[in-house]
Structure formats: structure tokens, C-alpha cells
Amino acid sequence: MNIHEYQAKDLLAKAGIAVPAGYPAMSVEEAVAAARKLPGPLWVVKSQIHAGGRGKGKFKELPPEARGGVRLARSLEEVEANAREMLGNTLVTVQTGETGKQVNRLYVTDGVDIAREYYLALLVDRATGRIAMVVSTEGGMSIEDVAHDTPEKITTLTIDPAQGFQPHHGRAVAYALKLDGAVNKAAQKLSRQLYDAFVALDCSMLEINPLVETAPDSSGSGRMLVLDAKVSFDSNAEFRHPELESLRDESEEDPMEVEAGKHDLAYIKLDGNIGCMVNGAGLAMATMDIIKLNGAFPANFCDVGGGASKEKVTAAFKIILSDPAVEGILVNIFGGIMRCDTIAEGIIAAAREVDLKVPLVVRLEGTNVEQGKAILAGSGLAIVPANDLGDAARKIVAEVKKAA
Ligand code: ADP
Ligand code: MG
């Protein structure tokens, strides 16, 4: 699950991490009210969407020379005008794809006098089985570009979760960022706080870009502040964090994936035209592979799970078909816990209920497979039976070509 920047900063602030003050706003009025609560004279009005690159993004509805999704404002009038221009419009960034995302929420925050911008991210590194902390002196820009053009400017530390964050990790971060004096100390403390928050919240990713050093104040030194925050939570740990559920913004998620979640189906939308309905994640992966091997592309990953009921199968059919790109469906089910005859009845009922118009190839294997196949054959529906995985993939690819 992903959350908005303002929600992420709220969580980080609760963990004692330094973030600029700010308030979310759902309307122009709320944006102005939020700005009034802040001291000024510089405010930043930030579009809240689940995607980065907002600053350099473009609004579809505005002329190309209009400003992006993160805007400085020097008066309450400017806050108001910017909020009005952004709310309800579609922001296209390098991360949204060309459809963009509608801006429904803003974050009005203190404008910060930035001396330097840095990059700091935490993520679960599956290769080492550890948490990786990635830091760079090149903040505020796309880290992918930095990794491509100047990889030597990126430092990666791995932290053994059994040992936790050690003082030497903090020193390594401050050293990599080339910090001295008070900001060096501040970076050590901040990196530990971010690690602790990452673990406590069961994040899969926590990206601060930019982490900033502010211009020196009267004490002669700057502060280290989190200026942007992107957080993803590990969905396998969601049950441990009921408090985070209210942060979900379904309008940011794929509507088909939201619907699938309600039926306890694992569904992920992909770019191809062959809908897949499979039980078990391993079999689903193999099914997608073999579709590609036969020269076509899967429209989705869909795992209906071990005990797929008629209701679940129907829900899966509806979700798969609601994708206009789907030109054929491949059902690949292994009847282990569920018997093939029960599955066959579920498929027929679902196909009738949704008034299936695209070709359907079904491969059944497992308990009572012969009865299952007989039920499908006797249904009067145009279901193409398949004998094994390869046969099924060849047939659905051929059927879709024929129908085109
Ligand atoms: P995104 O990464 O989506 O473009 P950021 O929050 O990183 O959004 O903002 C983009 C840039 O805008 C930052 O790199 C920073 O230079 C500037 N910026 C963001 N927030 C502030 C702020 N509170 N004060 C001053 N400048 C800011
Ligand atoms: Mg950023």
C-alpha cells in the first residue's frame, strides 16, 4: 500500500523526525486556511498523488508553460491561485504514465530556505536479506539518472536486521553526504530515526528525495529536514497495522485491483490481451510465461486461490472482463482441495452470468478431472477444452487471432 506525502510526513513527525510544518487541503478554501496557520512568508503548495516527479510534472488542462505540481507561493493570494489551478486537474509526471493522475488533495507547507539537497532511501534488499540504506549527495533529481550517469555518487549500506542500526551506519551516512559539524550529527540521528520508523511501520520502501540541509540560521549552522517522503508498506504485514488502514486512498489505486481485493483475489493488471484465471501464484506465473512463449501477452495476473468458490470465480471473470483490452480468457485450474467438477460448474455459471463474448479456453487438472471436462463439454457453451499447459496457451493464442 502506498500513501500520500502528507500522511508519510505525519507518521515521520510522530516518530520525532524533522519535517517542515504543513496541512493537507481538499479545497481552495482549506488551502488558504492551511496557509494562514503557517508563518510564511514562503509557502509551498504541493499536489498529493501517489507518484513522484510532481515538481517537474505538467497539468494536462493547463498550457505547457504553466508551473508543475509543486509550487512556491509568496502570499496568501498566490497560495489561493495555485490551489485553484491544481485541484481537480490531471498531473502527468515521469511516474504517472501519460494518463496522469487527478489532483484531489493538496499539501500546504512551510517554504524552506534550502542550502543543499540530498537523497536517502530505505528498502528491503531481497538479495542480501537485509535493509538497504541508499544515500547520495545528488538529491532533488531522479535517482535513476544519478545511478545511470554517476553511479559513484550513490552509497549503499546494508543493515543486518538482527543487529539493527549501529552508530557506524549513521557515521557512514554523514560521511557519504560529506557533512560536517552540526549537520553531520543531525544526519546520523536522522538516519537512525528513519531506519527505526521503517522497521516499526513495516515499510517496503521509504524514500526521502530531497533530504535537505537548510541555510545556516543564527547559530551559524543549518538543519537537516525531510522535504519529500514516499512510503510503501509491506502488504504482508498489513494485519499488524490496523491504524494504517485509514490512510488508504482508493482513488489512487487501480479500480480493478480494489474490486479484486474485496473478493480476496490476487489480481494485477498487465498490458496484454489474454485474461488469465488461475489458482495458485506459481501456476499463475507459469501460465503467464507460457502465454508469452506462444507470442502473446497476459492481460493480468489473477490467482483465485486454493478454495475458489463459484462466487469467487464469477467475481474473477467480471474483473478480468471489465478490462477492455481482454480479447480471450485462459482458465488454468488445478483441482486439489477443490474438485474439478465443482470448478467446472463454477466456470459455467460464471460464464453465463457475465454473458461471455470472448473465446474461453479451459484447462483442468486434478481430482475428478474427467467429470469436470464432461460437464464443460455438455454445457452448450463455446468453451475450448485443453489438455495441458502448452496446449491451453497455443489454443487461446490461436482463438484470439481467429476472433480478431
Ligand atoms: P517531487 O519529487 O514529486 O517532484 P518534491 O516534494 O521532491 O516533489 O518537490 C520538488 C522540489 O521542490 C524539491 O526538490 C525542492 O527543491 C522543492 N521543494 C519541495 N518542498 C519544498 C519546501 N517545503 N520548501 C522549499 N522547496 C521545496
Ligand atoms: Mg521528491
Side-chain angles (χ1 to χ4, degrees), residues 243-263:
E243 80 282 7
L244 300 176
E245 184 52 33
S246 64
L247 303 182
R248 184 178 288 272
D249 181 357
E250 282 189 354
S251 70
E252 290 283 336
E253 297 176 15
D254 183 290
M256 291 183 238
E257 289 176 19
V258 172
E259 182 63 20
K262 289 183 189 151
H263 298 280

Side-chain angles (χ1 to χ4, degrees), residues 46 52-54 140 207-210 227-229:
K46 307 182 79 171
R54 298 162 300 167
E207 185 185 52
I208 311 298
N209 188 21
L227 227 64
D228 187 12

Side-chain angles (χ1 to χ4, degrees), residues 155-201:
T155 303
T156 304
L157 317 171
T158 57
I159 300 151
D160 185 338
Q163 282 189 328
F165 194 89
Q166 302 292 317
H168 69 83
H169 292 125
R171 290 194 294 272
V173 167
Y175 178 77
L177 298 182
K178 302 187 168 72
L179 300 170
D180 294 315
V183 284
N184 178 297
K185 289 272 176 312
Q188 293 188 42
K189 179 176 169 201
L190 184 77
S191 50
R192 168 185 293 278
Q193 288 174 311
L194 289 168
Y195 175 86
D196 289 344
F198 182 91
V199 173
L201 293 166

Side-chain angles (χ1 to χ4, degrees), residues 344-357:
E345 277 160 8
I347 293 170
I348 292 166
R352 287 216 170 97
E353 192 178 328
V354 300
D355 188 20
L356 193 68
K357 294 217 168 64

Side-chain angles (χ1 to χ4, degrees), residues 17 21 34 71 77 107 148 154 207 246 248 255 257 314 371:
I17 293 163
R71 301 178 176 189
E77 290 70 36
Y107 185 47
H148 183 264
I154 296 180
E207 185 185 52
S246 64
R248 184 178 288 272
E257 289 176 19
T314 310
Q371 288 100 305

Side-chain angles (χ1 to χ4, degrees), residues 5-55:
E5 174 200 359
Y6 77 92
Q7 297 167 323
K9 284 187 173 163
D10 204 34
L11 290 173
L12 296 179
K14 282 191 185 125
I17 293 163
V19 302
Y23 302 94
M26 311 286 169
S27 65
V28 176
E29 295 70 35
E30 280 181 28
V32 176
R36 275 189 209 286
K37 286 192 266 182
L38 296 167
L42 185 65
W43 294 266
V44 186
V45 186
K46 307 182 79 171
S47 302
Q48 299 295 289
I49 54 170
H50 286 186
R54 298 162 300 167

